[in-house]
Amino acid sequence: MNGFNYSYNLRLRFTNPNQTGSFQEHEKYFRDCVEEYNNAAQSARNTKKIEILHIDSDHIDVCLHSNADLTKAPGRALMHLTTLLIDEKNDGYDNYFTNHLYHNKLFSTEQISVSKSYESLSDVEFVKSLVDYISRPKGEISEKDKSTMNRIKMIALENGLIK
């Protein structure tokens, strides 16, 4: 997972309901600001990285990689990107983004998905998920779940975790 513990797929749209033009027309400036964000974020306390997945006319899909759990508000981690996009002193400044500020907010974010690396899964979370699994009625357990549980048992036996 690119060396990060968490990845959040996010869809960015202007908060302003009256969008004019297209994100695609301003892609270069957006990409430049993302690169600047990524360079600055490498030295932050919680290292983050934005990966651009797709730029459409009315939305931008990004993957925000982070070492910390941002589940409650991953969009807040993009505040620095917003600052870069509306900074008139920025090289190649493009007022397209500044013109779309709406009540001092640029983007609304929709979380499309989140993934977590197994290294970041705590033992407590893992054991809780196993307890939840065995607590379900037998009729609610899919074949995939049964197969996964059998693989977990096999790994535990082969590695001496179960005696």
Side-chain angles (χ1 to χ4, degrees):
M1 227 163 53
N2 299 327
F4 291 93
N5 293 330
Y6 300 88
S7 293
Y8 304 89
N9 285 348
L10 305 171
R11 176 158 291 160
L12 309 178
R13 294 183 191 277
F14 280 140
T15 305
N16 188 330
N18 304 311
Q19 178 178 345
T20 58
S22 162
F23 283 123
Q24 293 162 328
E25 297 167 1
H26 305 274
E27 181 175 344
K28 183 184 180 330
Y29 181 67
F30 184 81
R31 287 186 182 278
D32 290 347
C33 288
V34 165
E35 183 178 338
E36 189 173 339
Y37 173 97
N38 288 339
N39 289 338
Q42 287 177 354
S43 60
R45 186 172 43 111
N46 170 27
T47 307
K48 293 183 250 355
K49 178 183 178 188
I50 297 173
E51 176 185 353
I52 301 169
L53 302 175
H54 179 72
I55 297 180
D56 204 349
S57 60
D58 67 341
H59 68 271
I60 300 172
D61 291 341
V62 299
C63 185
L64 174 65
H65 302 285
S66 171
N67 283 326
D69 184 357
L70 305 174
T71 303
K72 291 182 182 176
R76 290 190 65 204
L78 301 176
M79 287 174 31
H80 181 65
L81 175 62
T82 296
T83 302
L84 293 170
L85 287 166
I86 63 173
D87 184 357
E88 295 177 4
K89 297 179 211 130
N90 219 343
D91 286 343
Y93 171 71
D94 184 342
N95 66 356
Y96 176 71
F97 295 94
T98 304
N99 291 342
H100 283 89
L101 279 172
Y102 188 71
H103 300 292
N104 293 320
K105 193 170 177 193
L106 185 60
F107 293 119
S108 63
T109 58
E110 172 190 351
Q111 187 169 308
I112 299 168
S113 66
V114 61
S115 58
K116 188 177 191 179
S117 71
Y118 72 89
E119 291 99 348
S120 66
L121 184 65
S122 75
D123 292 345
V124 171
E125 289 174 294
F126 178 67
V127 170
K128 182 188 176 308
S129 67
L130 292 176
V131 170
D132 291 345
Y133 169 81
I134 61 172
S135 300
R136 290 191 293 187
K138 294 255 186 252
E140 292 182 13
I141 300 174
S142 70
E143 288 303 315
K144 181 181 177 188
D145 290 345
K146 289 177 189 175
S147 174
T148 300
M149 186 55 75
N150 285 333
R151 286 186 294 194
I152 291 171
K153 290 175 191 175
M154 182 181 71
I155 291 169
L157 283 169
E158 288 175 352
N159 290 286
L161 292 175
I162 299 174
K163 302 194 189 295

